[in-house]
Amino acid sequence: MPLTPLDIHNKEFSTAFRGYNVDEVNEFLDQIIKDFEILIKEKKELEDRLGMLNERLDHYKTMEENLSKSILVAQETAEDVKNNARKEAQLILKEAEKNADRIVNESLAKSRKVAIEIEELKKRASVYRMRFRTLLEAQMEMLENGDWQDLEKADSAISLENL
């Protein structure tokens, strides 16, 4: 069991012939008691401070662990977000390629249809020109043949009948 200031204070020494001076021993013991009390007080303060610092250290260790876990979770989440974004970008790209192919195919089909319609119109125009030319040639031939005079007579007869 450790020595206390009270133990020092209560300690009695036996006197012997030609022993130490009692007053000097008591003064020295009083000084030891004071110094011992100061040392005990300082020890208690240091123990209290050590306990508080250990609590703070434990708190900071817990915070460090939590921060480390949070950082790991954040890194994993960032990786997940990057992977999901990459996958979504690939899906968007594939969808865009499909739409582009569809648009190109529709455009090609429309252009083929327009080309066919143009060819059909060219054929119709050619047929129309041929018929019109034939009609004009027939009309010119009628004008040159003299059938015209018969038409004038028929037209005069119709006009007279109407009067």
Side-chain angles (χ1 to χ4, degrees):
M1 182 168 193
L3 192 62
T4 67
L6 190 59
D7 292 337
I8 296 171
H9 180 66
N10 291 334
K11 177 69 177 166
E12 300 264 340
F13 295 99
S14 58
T15 54
F17 180 72
R18 294 186 120 226
Y20 290 109
N21 181 342
V22 173
D23 289 336
E24 285 180 12
V25 169
N26 284 338
E27 278 181 33
F28 185 70
L29 287 176
D30 287 343
Q31 183 63 41
I32 290 174
I33 290 171
K34 287 179 188 173
D35 290 347
F36 200 66
E37 285 177 343
I38 290 172
L39 289 174
I40 290 174
K41 185 178 179 182
E42 285 178 358
K43 180 184 176 217
K44 175 69 174 145
E45 289 174 359
L46 288 174
E47 285 174 347
D48 290 345
R49 185 162 182 229
L50 180 63
M52 182 185 70
L53 290 174
N54 280 334
E55 286 178 16
R56 288 178 67 187
L57 180 63
D58 290 342
H59 174 72
Y60 289 126
K61 283 181 180 178
T62 304
M63 284 179 59
E64 180 185 18
E65 289 174 9
N66 290 339
L67 285 172
S68 294
K69 289 177 184 176
S70 296
I71 288 171
L72 287 175
V73 168
Q75 287 174 339
E76 289 172 0
T77 303
E79 282 298 316
D80 289 344
V81 167
K82 278 197 268 184
N83 289 336
N84 289 339
R86 193 174 294 121
K87 287 177 184 175
E88 189 173 339
Q90 288 173 348
L91 289 174
I92 290 171
L93 185 61
K94 286 180 183 177
E95 185 67 27
E97 287 173 350
K98 286 179 185 176
N99 285 339
D101 288 342
R102 181 184 50 80
I103 291 170
V104 167
N105 289 336
E106 287 175 1
S107 297
L108 287 173
K110 285 181 183 179
S111 71
R112 287 184 192 120
K113 185 177 179 181
V114 167
I116 291 170
E117 287 177 3
I118 289 172
E119 286 300 316
E120 184 65 31
L121 288 174
K122 284 180 181 179
K123 288 177 186 176
R124 286 184 183 176
S126 177
V127 168
Y128 177 76
R129 270 187 275 141
M130 286 175 48
R131 287 183 181 170
F132 190 64
R133 181 176 289 137
T134 305
L135 178 66
L136 286 177
E137 288 174 353
Q139 292 295 322
M140 289 296 289
E141 191 176 313
M142 266 176 56
L143 282 173
E144 290 174 3
N145 285 342
D147 291 338
W148 184 254
Q149 290 173 354
D150 293 337
L151 282 176
E152 283 180 355
K153 289 178 188 177
D155 189 34
S156 302
I158 291 174
S159 323
L160 289 174
E161 287 178 10
N162 285 337
L163 289 175

